[in-house]
Amino acid sequence: MKRRHLLAALPLLATGVFGARIAKGALALKVGAALPDPPFEFMSKDGPAGFDIALMQRIAEKLGREWQLVPYKGADFNGIFAGLDSGAYDCIASGTTITPQRQRIADFCAPYVVSGQSLVVDPSRHPNVHGIADLKGLVIGVQQGNTSQPVADKLVAEHGAARVRVYAYDEIEKALDDLSTGGCDAFMKLAPVTEWFARDRPKLAVVETGITRERLGICVRKGNTALSDAIDKAQASMMADGTLPALIRQWLGKGATAPR
């Protein structure tokens, strides 16, 4: 990670840096997240950093609880939701798009970000690819369980692309390397993520954004209304005082906006 990213991350890394008053005997708020997924969550040399990390540290503070990151290691992002039922974590904050399928297995809090899928390519290999309309005959890379996968599958079904190559969730670096070596021709992911990686990969370019419009949010175990209500209240407070919009600008840039 480049030095400028480290400098941006340092104020947000440590648990308890915000002077929280933790209630005596309060259980830690265990937060599940699939890493690496910068700028939502990633590990720097100084520890965890990113938008979801900073957000959940502040929410935990407002709830009077310690913040505890629980990394999800599965190859398929959709497997992360099982950890709610098992008690591995209390909530998930991992750049998670709210979908009807996911709402059947977890309760989502109010959306905290609106973003959308984007397309990144190596222009030296594909100078004529400016968006999904130019993918006929080409291979699209996606991560397993990511919301880009059904979008790419639909393109293939409609003969707008040749096929989809599915990478394990933690193989995003390999997928981006493959754009230049020929393992895939384009890669689809939420705009903040592709723009983050493209800044440090001069061969790559984000050629299209806004392919979809997706609402992202924190989720809890089905029926845990006490926690979802508490998170909603904390999040609403952060929206009202400008903290949440400021975190979106700091970490997610132009690829995301606050919900309205």
Side-chain angles (χ1 to χ4, degrees):
M1 188 168 58
K2 291 289 183 71
R3 182 172 180 271
R4 66 177 181 273
H5 301 152
L6 281 172
L7 291 174
L10 287 176
L12 305 174
L13 293 175
T15 304
V17 296
F18 311 113
R21 292 183 179 179
I22 306 303
K24 186 176 181 179
L27 296 175
L29 182 66
K30 296 181 291 184
V31 183
L35 293 83
D37 194 31
F40 289 98
E41 47 268 326
F42 59 95
M43 293 299 295
S44 77
K45 69 179 182 64
D46 297 295
F51 171 80
D52 285 320
I53 303 299
L55 175 69
M56 293 311 300
Q57 285 176 336
R58 285 161 167 79
I59 286 178
E61 177 194 18
K62 287 181 176 292
L63 301 186
R65 299 172 67 172
E66 299 268 1
W67 166 84
Q68 180 184 341
L69 176 66
V70 183
Y72 169 70
K73 303 292 187 181
D76 184 337
F77 182 79
N78 284 320
I80 196 172
F81 300 101
L84 292 173
D85 289 332
S86 72
Y89 27 82
D90 303 306
C91 61
I92 296 168
S94 192
T96 309
T97 298
I98 302 169
T99 69
Q101 295 84 359
R102 292 171 177 175
Q103 286 177 308
R104 286 196 284 268
I105 57 176
D107 284 345
F108 278 84
C109 301
Y112 61 33
V113 164
V114 176
S115 187
Q117 297 297 325
S118 62
L119 196 71
V120 59
V121 301
D122 182 338
S124 67
R125 288 189 61 230
H126 294 293
N128 297 320
V129 173
H130 305 292
I132 58 173
D134 306 315
L135 295 177
K136 191 173 180 65
L138 301 180
V139 176
I140 312 171
V142 299
Q143 290 167 289
Q144 190 171 359
N146 189 260
T147 47
S148 58
Q149 194 169 357
V151 179
D153 286 341
K154 186 172 185 288
L155 281 169
V156 172
E158 295 173 349
H159 308 290
R163 65 182 179 89
V164 176
R165 178 169 179 180
V166 181
Y167 293 84
Y169 198 80
D170 62 356
E171 290 184 328
I172 188 167
E173 297 270 9
K174 173 177 170 51
L176 295 170
D177 289 342
D178 282 355
L179 292 174
S180 297
T181 62
C184 65
D185 300 304
F187 183 76
M188 189 179 294
K189 180 80 172 177
L190 289 176
V193 183
T194 57
E195 289 172 355
W196 176 279
F197 279 110
R199 287 184 300 185
D200 290 336
R201 291 171 176 260
K203 286 187 176 182
L204 303 186
V206 179
V207 294
E208 185 177 15
T209 61
I211 296 169
T212 59
R213 185 180 186 275
E214 303 181 23
R215 300 178 307 140
L216 282 60
I218 302 161
C219 64
V220 304
R221 187 183 70 253
K222 270 286 186 184
N224 193 352
T225 55
L227 182 56
S228 62
D229 288 349
I231 290 174
D232 275 340
K233 183 177 179 180
Q235 191 173 289
S237 172
M238 293 171 64
M239 179 68 79
D241 69 14
T243 301
L244 181 54
L247 288 175
I248 293 171
R249 290 192 299 271
Q250 177 184 356
W251 286 106
L252 306 183
K254 63 182 180 180
T257 60
R260 296 178 180 176

